[in-house]
Amino acid sequence: MNKNGPLALVFHTLFIVFMVAPLAVVVWVAFTPLGYLQVPTTQWSLRWFYAIFENEGFIESFWLSLALGIASASLALACAVPAALALARYSFKARGFLVGLFLSPLVIPSVVLGIAFLRFLTQLNITGTFFGMALCHAVFVMPFVLRLALASITGMDRSAEQAAVSLGATHGTTFRRVTLPMILPGLVGGWVLAFITSFDELTVTIFISSPSTTTLPVRLFNHITQTTTPIVASISAVIIFLSVAAILILDRLYGLDRLLVGSKR
Amino acid sequence: MSFLNLQEISKSFGGFVAVDQFNLEVDKGEFVSLLGPSGCGKTTTLQMIAGFLDPSHGQIMVGGEDLTARPANQRNIGIVFQSYALFPHLTAAQNVAFGLEMRKATQGERQEKIDRALDLVHLSAFRDRYPKQLSGGQQQRVALARAIVIEPTILLLDEPMSNLDAKLREDMQLELRSIQEKLGITTILVTHDQNEAMALSDRIAVMNEGRIVQVGKPHEIYEDPANVFVSSFLGKNNLLAVEVEDISGSKASVRFNGQSLTVPCREGVTNKEAWLSIRPEKVQLTDKGSGLLEGQIKTRVFFGNHWLYQIETASGEFLVYSQNTAVPNTAPRDAVGLNWQADDARLLNMDAS
């Protein structure tokens, strides 16, 4: 391992502090007993955590965001795998265009996408439905899934597939028993990124949500525009805890390096 | 009737002809190497035998059956890849089991065959390890066990040794040959390493630019190359430009440096100007003034079992290997004579064909 110079060390420390400090402050604030956003110093309380469970709206929104994240990430993955296989292994005329199309949600401003989605859903008459929102989120998270799927398929040794075929496997069996397990870490990584992106997406979702389909970020945003009770802090704290737990489990199962950086076997 | 019969197979990609009218007959149990530089079409030929590529033209017959149109997964051919291509998510034993599962072998039969195959490659103790927990040599043994456990009609080896270090490669070559002989399995090896081809094969097919240049036993090809390409690709050689005076049967009398020599000659040498090819180990250093050529030692390198000399002569640089029998009494810049038996030299056409 290379040693960092003193300047680099200072830079990295500051970088990490600026990344972590806001999160730490939010978690800290969540333990306040008071009725407004205030860093507690002498008194601590879990009252704002209990408050979450008394607020049905937030609980509902949490489940909706969770379901939406799972549905859109899975839908995007189901489309991305065959797309990535075709894009990685065949060269055809529309290849560049298709890659650009799939990745375009990354470069189109969210506001523009939100308005476009709203118009589109109205046209189809599915505004404010879970199905409509899942479709829009699937499009929005597609780049994340596709990028990681492409990377893992490109990095895979294709002779393993030839070996399977020579041993008597059909194309279907080869995909199921060899290709899929070999690219799985990349797919899981893509799915996780997509889920996280969908779970905390705000800008696009504001346009397409309705009172009956308000996701957690949208509800938090609405809440904070009207009041400043520390319940937003306690909800944030819960989400941070859940994310850390999820990351730890994933690291145990697959190794984060492999999931998010890819290619390391 | 030979066991594997490649009849006039050709493969072109767009306008590029990768394999051009390839004909080869291989007997049952024979070990044949396809040897050539990269891009000579040897791997393309292997891929066609395996069924991963369709020939543009020609037929692949195995045991009298036409395999040309049969899908790769129904050919019952075992392959060891250059990268080994093990399934990283399966243990050594599971890798070996894969082909048996595809054949719907019973649990008992499967276990027995896996045990036997792993035993054959001395990996019984490593059956539950994953590929990344095995060394390169061990991974290759797993790949070999996986390929032979299905009792294939033909075993294809695609540069299997090129990722191993030199010492291990030699051991594996000996072992591979003994396993192949024990199983009596018809084997095709693709390699660019002439030592590997010579060490392993019953016969070698030397390829260049999509065509077979020469087929024969390793010793035959080495001693009696069909042309300059084969002669330089299989080992080193010294080429001496000579003037052909007369050819009668398999002997030719040639002139160089003001002297005449009668040397063996292949059919097809017609030109006045030709190469006389002499292997470095067939040349002896003699005292100045007593050999067929005069020269001066440029460098002398010790290789353990032999010395290598580079010698400047009026006809170009000569390479000489001499056995390490004693400390040589020659040193760089010494003037020496070069001598060889007339029967050890070969007359070859100047152009490649």
Side-chain angles (χ1 to χ4, degrees), chain B residues 284-298 309-313 320 329-331 333-339:
Chain B
Q284 292 97 38
L285 295 184
T286 58
D287 292 334
K288 184 171 184 269
S290 67
L292 290 163
L293 272 179
E294 297 281 302
Q296 190 191 28
I297 298 179
K298 192 174 151 204
Y309 294 91
Q310 278 180 303
I311 294 169
E312 295 282 12
T313 74
V320 178
N329 53 8
T330 48
R333 281 182 301 283
D334 282 359
V336 289
L338 298 174
N339 198 21

Side-chain angles (χ1 to χ4, degrees), chain A residues 157 159-160 162 165 167 169 177, chain B residues 52 73 83 87 89 101 103:
Chain A
D157 177 13
S159 51
Q162 292 192 330
V165 170
L167 292 168
R177 297 276 316 268
Chain B
F52 301 139
N73 59 0
S83 63
F87 309 133
H89 54 292
E101 283 174 45
R103 279 162 181 71

Side-chain angles (χ1 to χ4, degrees), chain A residues 197-220:
Chain A
T197 309
S198 160
F199 190 84
D200 73 5
E201 210 299 315
L202 178 65
T203 323
V204 168
T205 319
I206 282 181
F207 288 93
I208 55 173
S209 67
S210 69
S212 65
T213 53
T214 308
T215 64
L216 193 57
V218 174
R219 190 172 293 273
L220 281 171

